[in-house]
Each structure stands twice: as structure tokens, then as C-alpha cells.
Amino acid sequence: PRTFIAYWELRDGSELCVLAHLDRTALHEVEAEVEAASGRLLYTTHPDVWPSGDRQQTLPPWSVCWHLRPPAA
């Protein structure tokens, strides 16, 4: 699968995170990816799927999610 997570630390210490699954087939059981991309959802290409609350969810083909994580305490 062609899936990646990237982070950018912002000036206030928060993190911008993108989780992208750039493949023509769905990715199943993505617990680690979902946990790594935690935070406030800013945008997703598949709002009917993300977030589902199910840690064993499936990422659809060609899906992207952007999250903002608050600064660490």
C-alpha cells in the first residue's frame, strides 16, 4: 500500500498532520495510522468514512485526512 503520515510543527507547538492513502485499493485495519493521525479533523476527502470511531476502520482508495493536534502539555 502507498500510505504515509507527515507532520509539521507550527509556531505555537501544535502539529499539522496529513494521513494519505494513495492507492487504488482500500487499506484495512489501520489502527496505528488512525492513532498517529489523532487530533481535530480539519479536512477529509471521505467525510462519510472518517472519523468512524472504529479503530479497525478502513481507509478508502485515494483518501486524505488533515488533522491539527494541540501543543503538548
Side-chain angles (χ1 to χ4, degrees), residues 5 7 29-37 55:
I5 300 172
Y7 303 93
E29 297 183 8
V30 291
E31 182 176 354
E33 291 84 351
V34 170
E35 188 63 32
R55 293 290 189 199

Side-chain angles (χ1 to χ4, degrees), residues 8-66:
W8 293 269
E9 186 173 344
L10 306 179
R11 287 186 191 190
D12 66 355
S14 59
E15 282 186 330
L16 181 62
C17 173
V18 62
L19 168 59
H21 177 59
L22 306 178
D23 196 30
R24 64 179 174 235
T25 60
L27 182 63
H28 302 281
E29 297 183 8
V30 291
E31 182 176 354
E33 291 84 351
V34 170
E35 188 63 32
S38 64
R40 182 170 60 97
L41 181 64
L42 299 176
Y43 176 79
T44 180
T45 54
H46 294 75
D48 55 326
V49 175
W50 190 281
S52 70
D54 179 5
R55 293 290 189 199
Q56 296 295 327
Q57 69 184 17
T58 298
L59 292 177
W62 306 107
S63 59
V64 179
C65 302
W66 289 89

